[in-house]
Amino acid sequence: MASMTEPMPERPAHRAARRSSARGVLARLLAAFAVAAANGAPAVAQGPAQRSAPVPAQRSAQMPAQIPAQTPDADMARRMLACTPCHGKEGRATSAGYFPRIAGKPAGYLFNQLVNFRAGRRHGTAMADLVEHMNDAYLRDIAAYFAALDLPYAPPPQTPAQTPPGAAAAAAVLARGEALARRGDPQRGVPACTACHGARLTGVLPALPGLVGLPRDYLLGQLGAWRQGDRHAASPDCMETIARHLDDADIVAVTLWISSQPPAADMKPAAAGTLAQPLPLACGSGLQ
């Protein structure tokens, strides 16, 4: 095992409190979605988001411009079996709903998230415990391994828009979600998802992740965590800024629409340099 390069800044009790807060956000958003599906209109936020004290989000390790692609090897595959209980066989996710697919994601993005878990900017006991004693070199090896996996995507689960009696009820929610994903809401300072995650929402090299193929529960939880101050990225944290401009109805709508999209024939991330510059917001993702 690689040597430890930095300690976790939070004690387990603190991490547990933040996980509880994130679960509360997810439960509230899921309830809002249920109301929207039943009433045929986007859910209404129940009040302003509670802002948490900001956590310093200085980058603990500089991501290279590009992590070299690797061919998966049997030895690394055996070592990565620890990831499969949550992320599924070969990192393709499970049917549990919350855990994201990591196979085929940009290596720079995966490396950044591993560093964020190690530094305490993202919270999850299993992930924090796994990476606590790993140095940057080994985290890059892990990121490169999963990024190199070119595996088919499962079809998205059915949404209320595809199954009666929710077909008519969810139409307005889906329409709002598509509008946010493709065009954003300029009056509220919300850029389109496609402006950063690519026209097909499959991600952009070296470090912007794809969104298509992610479970709705996961998308809800992450936007809720950003809005509540429970998730952070390297500064400037553009996703936290965007999430704070979204209300419950927006989050329900955009996550429902994204999670209902079928995978494209080619789900590989777009090449670096394909996004219009500058990006809508300054972002410490490693792209700039």
Side-chain angles (χ1 to χ4, degrees):
M1 182 66 69
S3 60
M4 180 174 64
T5 57
E6 60 178 292
M8 289 291 293
E10 289 195 320
R11 296 182 182 273
H14 295 167
R15 292 201 303 266
R18 286 187 175 274
R19 289 198 308 275
S20 177
S21 174
R23 285 195 295 269
V25 172
L26 176 57
R28 184 160 65 93
L29 291 171
L30 286 172
F33 168 74
V35 171
N39 296 336
V44 178
Q46 299 301 309
Q50 297 297 315
R51 296 181 66 94
S52 300
V55 176
Q58 298 302 316
R59 186 179 292 276
S60 64
Q62 290 298 319
M63 189 200 73
Q66 182 74 41
I67 297 178
Q70 294 185 2
T71 300
D73 62 80
D75 179 62
M76 194 64 174
R78 285 192 296 271
R79 284 186 278 165
M80 294 301 102
L81 288 176
C83 305
T84 61
C86 295
H87 293 286
K89 182 182 179 182
E90 300 167 320
R92 286 190 279 184
T94 69
S95 59
Y98 184 79
F99 301 105
R101 176 187 172 114
I102 53 178
K105 288 288 190 288
Y109 170 76
L110 294 175
F111 172 73
N112 284 346
Q113 302 320 300
L114 291 169
V115 169
N116 287 342
F117 277 113
R118 191 183 63 188
R121 294 194 286 267
R122 290 192 68 173
H123 307 286
T125 300
M127 285 301 305
D129 290 347
L130 280 172
V131 303
E132 184 175 7
H133 300 290
M134 296 179 183
N135 63 21
D136 286 354
Y138 193 55
L139 296 185
R140 289 192 180 98
D141 288 344
I142 294 172
Y145 168 78
F146 282 107
L149 296 178
D150 185 9
L151 301 165
Y153 278 66
Q158 287 191 324
T159 70
Q162 298 166 313
T163 56
V173 180
L174 285 169
R176 173 62 175 165
E178 182 176 10
L180 287 168
R182 296 191 184 280
R183 299 183 293 279
D185 190 338
Q187 292 185 340
R188 297 170 59 194
V190 177
C193 301
T194 55
C196 295
H197 295 277
R200 298 178 298 125
L201 296 177
T202 57
V204 181
L205 295 175
L208 291 170
L211 303 180
V212 171
L214 289 172
R216 180 171 59 88
D217 288 356
Y218 176 77
L219 294 169
L220 281 168
Q222 299 315 300
L223 285 173
W226 259 307
R227 198 177 68 176
Q228 295 292 106
D230 290 331
R231 176 176 174 176
H232 302 272
S235 182
D237 190 347
C238 52
M239 278 306 306
E240 181 178 11
T241 300
I242 292 170
R244 291 191 186 279
H245 291 168
L246 299 172
D247 61 22
D248 285 357
D250 294 329
I251 292 177
V252 165
V254 74
T255 56
L256 178 63
W257 185 81
I258 289 173
S259 63
S260 69
Q261 298 310 294
D266 179 9
M267 288 292 291
K268 291 184 177 65
T274 57
L275 293 177
Q277 297 293 330
L279 293 180
L281 295 174
C283 196
S285 66
L287 183 66
Q288 298 187 113

